[in-house]
């Protein structure tokens, strides 16, 4: 009897129309108008950006999300259709949009203004977990798990491994119950700011060791400082690559895809880190988080 090889990732989370302003000398301040030299309209949100990078690497991946029917949603829907990401679990609903993020970028600094719409849980959730190709669930932000608190347990019941990027959300990142709500997650993927907010430690090695008490594997993203990983095999660090930086939006999600793809291949943590850093380095060299080859306007 033929069996289907389980290699695919399901990437779940909200998706946004990103309006990304670059070519600025300073970030916006109240009472002043700034003029950007460049602007990009891109499909965004951690779930899609990570999925696009999985597809770019060659890992089968499906997006589990909701998309509106408004003009913004239709525009990014066309971009996503060219991304190489499997969209069979993308639910279309009027109440799911418009979801928009306005990003202003100055060097390594960014400022965001975001609107969410509708509920996060797609009607396609059961079908996604029943997908015969599925091997792993990637949760793109803690906010998604907060809205769907049984997401990890349902994924585990379906035989999937699980990763989670907490993603910055000021209303949730300081929640004392965050780590408990993430119980069952196999790989936790914060950046330095998120790790400090969760643990209270600004030193990356102290923070990652604290998080390792809750998760089997923790990969900590440090931008220009590189990245760390902690597991039963110990603590490792990989330096950042020196590349021209256009826009750091989505670099963390790209790192997630590179790291997780190597992890799913059974690579050791050092190689997983290098793969994550390489994917993140690709993302910062263009406006918009998804690879140019898969998400060109």
């Amino acid at each position: 009897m033929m069996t289907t090889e389980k290699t695919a990732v399901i990437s779940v989370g909200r998706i946004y129309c990103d309006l990304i302003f670059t070519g600025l000398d300073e970030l916006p301040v109240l009472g002043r108008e700034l003029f950007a030299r460049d602007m990009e309209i891109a499909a965004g949100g951690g779930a899609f950006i990570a999925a696009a990078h999985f597809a770019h690497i060659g890992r089968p991946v499906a997006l589990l999300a909701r998309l509106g029917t408004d003009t913004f949603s239709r525009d990014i829907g066309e971009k996503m259709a060219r991304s190489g990401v499997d969209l069979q679990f993308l639910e279309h609903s009027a109440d799911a949009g418009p979801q928009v993020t306005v990003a202003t970028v100055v060097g390594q600094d960014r400022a965001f203004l975001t609107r969410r719409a509708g509920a996060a849980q797609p009607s396609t959730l059961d079908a996604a977990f029943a997908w015969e190709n599925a091997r792993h669930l990637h949760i793109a932000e803690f906010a998604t798990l907060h809205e769907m608190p049984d997401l990890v347990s349902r994924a585990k019941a379906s035989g999937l491994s699980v990763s989670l990027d907490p993603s910055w959300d000021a209303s949730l990142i300081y929640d004392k119950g965050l780590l408990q709500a993430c119980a069952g997650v196999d790989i936790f993927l914060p950046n330095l700011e998120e790790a400090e907010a969760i643990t209270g430690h600004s030193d990356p090695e102290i923070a990652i060791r604290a998080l390792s008490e809750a998760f089997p594997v923790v990969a900590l993203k440090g931008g220009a400082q590189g990245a760390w990983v902690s597991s039963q095999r110990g603590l490792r660090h990989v330096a950042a690559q020196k590349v021209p930086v256009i826009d750091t939006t989505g670099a963390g999600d790209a790192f997630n895809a590179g790291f997780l793809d190597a992890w799913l291949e059974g690579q050791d943590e050092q190689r997983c880190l290098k793969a994550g850093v390489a994917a993140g380095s690709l993302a910062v060299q263009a406006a918009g988080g998804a690879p140019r080859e898969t998400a060109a306007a």
Side-chain angles (χ1 to χ4, degrees):
M1 178 182 295
M2 295 182 60
T3 58
T4 300
E5 186 179 2
K6 294 180 178 294
T7 61
V9 172
I10 299 171
S11 186
V12 60
R14 291 179 180 270
I15 49 180
Y16 299 89
C17 178
D18 284 354
L19 309 179
I20 305 164
F21 292 84
T22 56
L24 292 162
D25 297 319
E26 59 181 315
L27 291 174
V29 295
L30 291 175
R32 296 183 186 176
E33 183 176 13
L34 296 179
F35 293 89
R37 289 187 290 276
D38 296 292
M39 176 187 155
E40 177 85 7
I41 301 176
F48 172 71
I49 293 173
H53 279 274
F54 275 119
H56 180 74
I57 292 167
R59 170 74 55 180
V61 59
L63 182 64
L64 178 58
R66 304 180 75 232
L67 182 66
T69 57
D70 56 279
T71 301
F72 285 117
S73 298
R74 290 196 301 271
D75 182 77
I76 62 171
E78 293 175 1
K79 291 177 170 61
M80 290 191 296
R82 302 193 297 269
S83 69
V85 175
D86 188 330
L87 302 179
Q88 65 175 305
F89 305 119
L90 182 63
E91 176 191 354
H92 297 266
S93 178
D95 77 307
Q99 288 194 143
V100 179
T101 292
V102 177
T104 53
V105 182
V106 179
Q108 298 280 339
D109 293 325
R110 300 169 294 166
F112 299 99
L113 178 63
T114 295
R115 177 188 188 264
R116 288 176 175 154
Q121 181 167 328
S123 61
T124 54
L125 188 64
D126 289 339
F129 283 149
W131 188 30
E132 60 183 2
N133 293 335
R135 177 179 175 187
H136 181 85
L137 177 71
H138 176 60
I139 306 171
E141 62 277 312
F142 176 68
T144 294
L145 181 59
H146 183 72
E147 289 191 69
M148 295 181 273
D150 63 345
L151 199 53
V152 175
S153 60
R154 292 182 65 175
K156 291 290 187 173
S158 298
L160 307 181
S161 52
V162 180
S163 57
L164 185 143
D165 184 329
S167 191
W168 185 267
D169 184 326
S171 66
L172 296 173
I173 198 70
Y174 296 102
D175 187 340
K176 298 300 183 183
L178 186 150
L179 294 181
Q180 184 177 356
C182 295
V185 167
D186 299 292
I187 305 175
F188 193 64
L189 297 149
N191 63 26
L192 285 175
E193 186 176 19
E194 292 153 2
E196 181 178 356
I198 294 167
T199 67
H201 299 294
S202 58
D203 184 295
E205 293 194 6
I206 296 175
I208 196 171
R209 286 193 172 99
L211 291 171
S212 294
E213 296 178 7
F215 306 100
V217 179
V218 179
L220 177 59
K221 297 163 284 192
Q225 298 183 53
W228 295 259
V229 64
S230 179
S231 70
Q232 291 182 343
R233 299 180 184 179
L235 180 65
R236 293 172 173 80
H237 174 261
V238 166
Q241 296 180 0
K242 294 183 178 180
V243 297
V245 176
I246 303 299
D247 174 20
T248 57
T249 302
D253 300 305
F255 172 95
N256 295 344
F259 184 96
L260 291 170
D261 178 70
W263 184 81
L264 290 167
E265 287 294 315
Q267 302 286 343
D268 62 52
E269 281 88 352
Q270 191 79 3
R271 291 187 179 182
C272 293
L273 273 185
K274 289 180 178 179
V277 169
S281 298
L282 172 66
V284 302
Q285 295 181 64
R292 277 290 183 177
E293 292 87 349
T294 59

